[in-house]
Amino acid sequence: QVQLVESGGDSVAAGGSLRLSCAASGLAYSSYCMGWFRQAPGKEREGVAAIYTGSGTTYYADSVKGRFTISQDNAKNTLYLQMNSLKPEDTAMYYCAADGACYGGLWYNRYEYKYWGQGTQVTVSA
């Protein structure tokens, strides 16, 4: 049984930083496309960043490039999202996802991912 458990969400002022974590268990293979998505109230869930764990290749949405960094710790089976220079528009529920498709532009498509965590809330105040 696959489980993804996010943590690290909080309320911060604009310009601040947060690091989200996603502890993964039950994944059968060593290489997966794993991603971070976010969903603000009344909006569609959107891709933020993804990583192919086999090669470490990363992908980012234009809105977070240069501010967010996705990384992995294979020994701990944990995915991270370091978020710097946070803006009020980054406010959303953030979700970890696994077993997607990283090639082409598919990493951004939430329907490509098989497993999801429960989410962690990030609130950025102006």
Side-chain angles (χ1 to χ4, degrees):
Q1 181 180 359
V2 175
Q3 280 196 313
L4 303 175
V5 181
E6 303 97 331
S7 61
D10 205 345
S11 296
V12 296
S17 297
L18 284 174
R19 188 176 80 158
L20 305 184
S21 299
C22 171
S25 61
L27 292 171
Y29 305 106
S30 59
S31 298
Y32 280 92
C33 182
M34 297 190 70
W36 285 99
F37 286 74
R38 66 186 181 187
Q39 188 168 17
K43 294 191 175 182
E44 294 288 318
R45 189 171 298 190
E46 63 174 1
V48 174
I51 186 168
Y52 184 66
T53 62
S55 63
T57 303
T58 57
Y59 307 82
Y60 294 95
D62 288 343
S63 59
V64 306
K65 274 181 186 174
R67 300 189 300 123
F68 291 10
T69 303
I70 189 171
S71 63
Q72 58 184 357
D73 184 330
N74 291 334
K76 296 181 178 179
N77 291 325
T78 301
L79 184 72
Y80 300 102
L81 184 68
Q82 177 67 43
M83 305 186 295
N84 299 328
S85 302
L86 282 161
K87 304 175 180 180
E89 52 263 42
D90 294 317
T91 295
M93 185 72 78
Y94 283 71
Y95 298 90
C96 173
D99 200 5
C102 274
Y103 49 86
L106 291 177
W107 76 265
Y108 195 81
N109 187 342
R110 66 183 187 271
Y111 298 109
E112 292 288 333
Y113 291 80
K114 187 173 183 179
Y115 305 107
W116 290 87
Q118 82 290 347
T120 187
Q121 178 67 38
V122 172
T123 303
V124 184
S125 58

